[in-house]
């Protein structure tokens, strides 16, 4: 069966450059402040408490090391740092335009203290003992952790850069002028080990912050898009679409979909023969039948276009979409038959419908021009579907499908159902048309699903 997936031309690349609309909201994953607020939400008091805990740890560590080695200026500097970091933390927690400036000031304060303690220890005898070395480096690692928990990548990188640069410079001075630093035998090894350890820890912290921010940004994008989609589609479809990567600037996704269109035959003629109220009731009955069949099969009514119903199946693998779409079409046929039986019993005119099925890659999502948002699908497959429907009408088919759709079923048609090529269908290459027939008609009074004979198709009617 040669239908060829080439029946659907490739989708053009998404153009992310659009004329900006002044009131278009910025997607939360592209708003740095939104990402930062989400990561810091609920942690304001805890982060402030962490600052206080770190100050206390530094004070206890310095005393445990040997308070007698520290001049009064050391304790004065620690006290100033404690007051400064708590004050900066409170100002930053207050928010406002100056919050970022206070955060940067706090980062500078952290880096300054870390460098001060490291250099002071090196001048006092760096490398004299593992315990003393560990205590002197503790502030650098604790303050690295505190800066990383701010979730600001740039500030974490700056903190690491300042500490590593100052530590490296002091280390080089010690190598060039060993007389300036005691314990010159153990000094190089001890400082080089500590510097390498801090650099590795800094890389890990920066990488962790970057990964965490990316994860939060993705979560925000998914939630934003799910909320937007939930206005138009069921939650299952919204979750499925928002979970995959897409163009977050446009809010659309490249997605394979199976499409179905239902059209009432001769609706214009019937409208001229019956009162408008009667036609409205008939149209609503068909729409209700279509909605029930679509919901049962897990599809989605894209839109109502006059007396036509456009349906899409976008969840699941392409073959699963095709099976669901075919099941929907067969269910719809049974429901229309039951509707006609009820209408005939009431002495009302019966309705004839044509259903066309197609499959292909589309752009799926909420198309928002800044004034009006609409969920729909776009792409060459939509244009092909209208041609397939027109040819199904011309061939007097009740249920038709394209070769692309039939190929997805891989010969696994339901029992008693056949897909037969329609000769003479006027479609652009390489699209082909198939009549789907063979199921026993639910109402013997209705015409059976016919398989067209060979020869050119008749002009479209209705």
């Amino acid at each position: 069966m040669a239908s060829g997936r080439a029946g659907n031309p490739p989708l053009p690349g998404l153009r992310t450059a659009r004329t900006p609309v002044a009131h278009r909201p910025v997607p939360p994953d592209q708003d740095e402040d939104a990402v930062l607020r989400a990561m810091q939400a609920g942690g304001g008091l805890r982060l402030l408490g962490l600052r206080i805990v770190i100050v206390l740890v530094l004070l206890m560590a310095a005393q445990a090391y040997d308070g007698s080695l520290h001049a009064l200026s050391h304790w004065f500097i620690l006290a100033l740092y404690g007051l400064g970091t708590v004050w900066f933390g409170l100002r930053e927690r207050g928010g406002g335009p100056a919050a970022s400036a206070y955060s940067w000031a706090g980062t500078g304060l952290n880096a300054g203290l870390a460098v001060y303690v490291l250099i002071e220890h090196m001048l006092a005898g760096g490398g004299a003992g593992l315990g003393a070395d560990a205590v002197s480096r503790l502030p650098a690692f604790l303050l690295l952790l505190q800066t990383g928990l701010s979730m600001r990548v740039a500030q974490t990188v700056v903190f690491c850069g300042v500490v590593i640069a100052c530590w490296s410079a002091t280390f080089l001075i010690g190598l060039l002028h060993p007389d300036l630093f005691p314990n010159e035998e153990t000094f190089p090894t001890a400082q080089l080990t500590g510097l390498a350890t801090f650099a590795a820890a800094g890389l890990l912290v920066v990488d962790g912050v970057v990964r965490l921010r990316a994860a939060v940004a993705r979560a925000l994008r998914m939630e934003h898009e799910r909320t937007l989609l939930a206005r138009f589609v069921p939650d299952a479809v919204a979750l499925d679409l928002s979970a995959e990567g897409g163009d977050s600037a446009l809010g659309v996704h490249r997605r394979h979909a199976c499409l179905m269109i239902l059209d009432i035959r001769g609706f214009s003629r019937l409208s001229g023969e019956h009162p408008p109220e009667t036609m409205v009731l008939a149209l609503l009955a068909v729409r209700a039948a279509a909605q029930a069949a679509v919901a049962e099969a897990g599809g989605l009514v894209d839109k109502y276009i006059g007396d036509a119903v456009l349906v899409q199946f976008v969840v699941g693998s392409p073959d699963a979409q095709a099976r669901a779409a075919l099941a929907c079409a067969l269910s719809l046929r049974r429901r229309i038959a039951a509707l006609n039986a009820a209408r005939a019993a009431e002495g009302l005119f019966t309705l004839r419908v044509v259903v066309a099925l197609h499959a292909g890659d589309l752009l799926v999502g909420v198309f928002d021009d800044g004034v009006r948002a609409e969920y729909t699908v776009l792409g060459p497959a939509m244009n092909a579907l209208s041609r397939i429907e027109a040819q199904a009408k011309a061939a007097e088919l009740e249920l038709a499908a394209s070769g692309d759709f039939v190929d997805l079923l891989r010969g696994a048609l339901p029992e008693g159902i056949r897909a037969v090529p329609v000769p003479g269908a006027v479609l652009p290459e390489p699209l082909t048309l198939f009549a789907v027939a063979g199921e026993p008609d639910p109402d013997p009074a209705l015409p059976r699903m016919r398989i067209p004979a060979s020869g050119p198709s008749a002009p479209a009617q209705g």
Side-chain angles (χ1 to χ4, degrees):
M1 183 180 300
S3 61
R5 197 61 60 178
N8 296 306
L11 288 172
L14 292 179
R15 294 183 297 172
T16 57
R18 292 191 299 175
T19 303
V21 178
H23 56 277
R24 184 189 304 281
V26 178
D29 61 306
Q30 298 178 11
D31 184 349
E32 288 295 321
D33 291 337
V35 174
L36 188 60
R37 287 194 300 271
M39 299 179 73
Q40 295 179 334
L45 288 175
R46 287 193 292 273
L47 289 175
L48 183 61
L50 178 62
R51 290 175 183 264
I52 298 174
V53 169
I54 288 177
V55 171
L56 294 176
V57 170
L58 294 178
L59 290 171
M60 289 187 295
Q63 180 63 42
Y65 168 35
D66 186 355
S68 62
L69 290 179
H70 300 296
L72 182 63
S73 60
H74 177 88
W75 303 105
F76 182 71
I77 289 173
L78 282 182
L80 285 180
Y81 168 78
L83 294 174
T85 190
V86 171
W87 187 77
F88 284 136
L90 288 172
R91 301 297 294 179
E92 179 186 355
R93 184 171 177 268
S100 178
Y102 286 117
S103 179
W104 275 105
T107 299
L109 188 65
N110 288 344
L113 179 65
V115 170
Y116 165 75
V117 174
L118 286 169
I119 294 178
E120 184 201 38
H121 174 68
M122 295 165 95
L123 292 172
L130 292 177
D133 288 341
V135 170
S136 70
R137 294 164 190 163
L138 180 62
F141 287 92
L142 284 177
L143 296 172
L144 170 63
L145 178 61
Q146 176 185 315
T147 306
L149 289 175
S150 71
M151 300 304 167
R152 292 180 169 90
V153 178
Q155 293 183 20
T156 307
V157 171
V158 168
F159 174 86
C160 292
V162 169
V163 174
I164 291 174
C166 294
W167 196 342
S168 300
T170 307
F171 174 67
L172 292 176
I173 293 173
L175 293 180
L176 295 175
H177 303 282
D179 54 302
L180 296 178
F181 299 91
N183 304 308
E184 59 185 65
E185 297 82 7
T186 58
F187 176 84
T189 302
Q191 298 307 320
L192 187 60
T193 301
L195 180 59
T197 303
F198 180 82
L203 287 175
L204 289 175
V205 171
V206 171
D207 180 67
V209 173
V210 170
R211 289 174 180 267
L212 185 56
R213 285 183 70 97
V216 171
R218 175 176 170 78
L220 287 176
R221 178 194 64 79
M222 289 175 57
E223 179 59 22
H224 171 75
E225 191 166 348
R226 187 200 66 78
T227 302
L228 184 63
L229 286 166
R231 295 165 50 196
F232 305 94
V233 301
D235 284 342
V237 178
L239 286 171
D240 186 73
L241 287 175
S242 60
E244 71 172 16
D247 190 311
S248 57
L250 294 177
V252 297
H253 302 263
R254 291 175 181 270
R255 174 65 73 96
H256 182 279
C258 285
L259 303 172
M260 182 181 82
I261 188 166
L262 173 147
D263 193 15
I264 301 176
R265 299 294 304 268
F267 191 82
S268 299
R269 175 183 55 81
L270 291 171
S271 297
E273 299 173 354
H274 301 279
E277 295 79 7
T278 301
M279 295 307 301
V280 168
L281 291 176
L283 178 60
L284 292 178
V286 171
R287 288 185 176 183
Q291 181 63 60
V294 171
E296 180 182 67
L300 174 66
V301 173
D302 185 321
K303 59 174 62 71
Y304 298 107
I305 311 169
D307 61 312
V309 183
L310 178 61
V311 179
Q312 56 179 261
F313 294 82
V314 296
V315 176
S317 62
D319 56 324
Q321 294 172 3
R323 290 193 298 270
L326 179 59
C328 178
L330 296 176
S331 172
L332 182 57
R333 179 170 173 265
R334 291 190 294 269
R335 292 174 186 273
I336 294 297
L339 173 63
N340 279 332
R343 290 179 62 85
E346 297 176 10
L348 300 174
F349 60 90
T350 57
L351 301 165
R352 297 176 61 205
V353 300
V354 58
V355 176
L357 300 165
H358 186 43
D361 294 328
L362 298 160
L363 300 181
V364 182
V366 176
F367 292 78
D368 183 4
D369 60 7
V371 177
R372 178 178 177 180
E374 178 187 24
Y375 172 85
T376 189
V377 294
L378 294 176
M382 282 295 298
N383 300 328
L385 179 66
S386 63
R387 291 174 176 265
I388 293 164
E389 179 205 4
Q391 288 301 301
K393 284 183 176 181
E396 291 289 333
L397 300 179
E398 184 178 343
L399 178 56
S402 68
D404 292 292
F405 182 89
V406 173
D407 281 349
L408 291 176
L409 297 173
R410 298 173 184 173
L413 290 168
E415 184 178 356
I417 301 297
R418 293 179 296 154
V420 181
V422 178
V426 183
L427 291 170
E429 290 290 343
L431 284 174
T432 53
L433 183 66
F434 286 78
V436 180
E439 184 185 49
D441 291 290
D443 187 348
L446 297 176
R448 295 178 60 85
M449 297 176 71
R450 62 187 294 271
I451 304 293
S454 59
S457 56
Q461 301 175 3

